[in-house]
Amino acid sequence: MADIVLDKVTKKYPDGSLAVSEVSIDIADGEFVILVGPSGCGKSTTLNMIAGLEDISSGELRIGGTRVNEKAPKDRDIAMVFQSYALYPHMTVRDNIAFPLTLAKLSKSEIAAKVDEASRILDLGQYLDRKPANLSGGQRQRVAMGRAIVRDPKAFLMDEPLSNLDAKLRVQMRTEISRLQQRLGTTTVYVTHDQTEAMTLGDRVVVLRGGHVQQIGSPQELYSNP
Ligand code: ADP
Ligand code: ADP
């Protein structure tokens, strides 16, 4: 676990567009923070810089007190969950969840124990031998989360993880993600353009607009002072 600090973080893409401009956010260890705002406001760019998938043009990013600007994604010890799930279609649920552990060369018994625990937490026990094509959208999303939690990362980064689900399932998975985050206590940064999701899911909401922080506060604070 770790705190995440963005200190005047700026992103200018090579074509000159200023996607994120001097954004400063202090995310506490174990906190669940939502980045919300209209399309193009800089949410994905911000998340991708935390993940190390995009370089930072200026400013500093610290995870657990350590500057990580120059660190490769694999050295940041964080797990990302995408809206597209990014599951391997030819692999079973078990092998999809186990994949990061296989890469990390854990022993077979350690892998089996961690996959077992994750599948219990996410209620996937009966689906371990299936392929992703034979799962519902909600089940696929749980597999993607299982693959994130087995690594026991310092933080979870989620980019619109529920946007491919229908409305009913979205509400259900929202509750599940919230419970999972509370249970694990892992620092989480969650991107959405959905106001309701932003107001119901996190400890704190960061409203981005045009690459700037427009507002930051608890859902209650933002709701009473919109
Ligand atoms: P979202 O709004 O859901 O975050 P977008 O559709 O804006 O996603 O972007 C999808 C992908 O296209 C991202 O990888 C993003 O980096 C890239 N992208 C977005 N805008 C531009 C742009 N103006 N020029 C080049 N690539 C872009
Ligand atoms: P959001 O996730 O809030 O939709 P993005 O972070 O994807 O916003 O984009 C923020 C801004 O940066 C937008 O104006 C977008 O067009 C631009 N952008 C995103 N990716 C790229 C890219 N690869 N190259 C150039 N501009 C980009």
Side-chain angles (χ1 to χ4, degrees):
M1 278 189 266
D3 61 332
I4 300 174
V5 176
L6 288 83
D7 187 0
K8 295 191 179 161
V9 167
T10 294
K11 176 66 185 185
K12 203 172 190 181
Y13 281 107
D15 69 356
S17 39
L18 189 58
V20 172
S21 181
E22 302 211 339
V23 162
S24 295
I25 314 170
D26 270 358
I27 301 168
D29 186 10
E31 197 177 17
F32 193 154
V33 164
I34 311 284
L35 302 183
V36 69
S39 183
C41 71
K43 305 183 294 295
S44 295
T45 300
T46 302
L47 202 71
N48 289 340
M49 287 192 286
I50 299 172
L53 302 174
E54 287 287 356
D55 289 338
I56 294 171
S57 308
S58 67
E60 187 169 81
L61 175 67
R62 295 187 290 277
I63 301 178
T66 304
R67 175 187 165 100
V68 298
N69 289 42
E70 292 81 18
K71 277 198 183 182
K74 66 175 173 50
D75 299 325
R76 295 186 185 198
D77 197 11
I78 50 192
M80 198 142 175
V81 180
F82 300 96
Q83 61 177 275
S84 55
Y85 318 126
L87 301 179
Y88 298 104
H90 60 287
M91 288 186 195
T92 62
V93 168
R94 176 182 286 105
D95 291 344
N96 265 286
I97 295 175
F99 189 70
L101 305 176
T102 312
L103 279 188
K105 300 204 178 359
L106 266 67
S107 73
K108 277 194 175 152
S109 61
E110 281 175 299
I111 293 176
K114 281 181 179 283
V115 171
D116 185 56
E117 189 191 1
S119 63
R120 235 180 311 118
I121 291 172
L122 292 159
D123 203 13
L124 285 167
Q126 3 166 9
Y127 308 108
L128 287 173
D129 294 314
R130 289 203 196 175
K131 300 264 174 75
N134 303 317
L135 298 173
S136 70
Q139 289 163 349
R140 283 178 205 166
Q141 192 56 62
R142 281 196 208 105
V143 177
M145 291 197 280
R147 198 174 48 188
I149 71 174
V150 284
R151 291 168 51 192
D152 206 7
K154 283 188 188 146
F156 296 127
L157 306 180
M158 304 194 188
D159 195 351
E160 308 243 4
L162 307 183
S163 58
N164 284 339
L165 305 178
D166 66 44
K168 190 170 161 220
L169 198 54
R170 211 177 303 143
V171 173
Q172 184 194 327
M173 290 300 293
R174 203 188 280 160
T175 310
E176 288 189 23
I177 287 181
S178 180
R179 283 208 194 112
L180 181 68
Q181 200 275 342
Q182 273 169 17
R183 172 170 181 175
L184 300 173
T186 307
T187 312
T188 301
V189 186
Y190 185 108
V191 161
T192 183
H193 63 268
D194 184 331
Q195 293 278 356
T196 315
E197 221 162 87
M199 290 304 185
T200 50
L201 204 43
D203 300 319
R204 218 144 48 102
V205 180
V206 178
V207 183
L208 291 176
R209 194 153 301 238
H212 292 276
V213 175
Q214 190 185 45
Q215 269 186 305
I216 184 161
S218 68
Q220 294 76 15
E221 284 164 352
L222 296 194
Y223 192 69
S224 59
N225 186 20

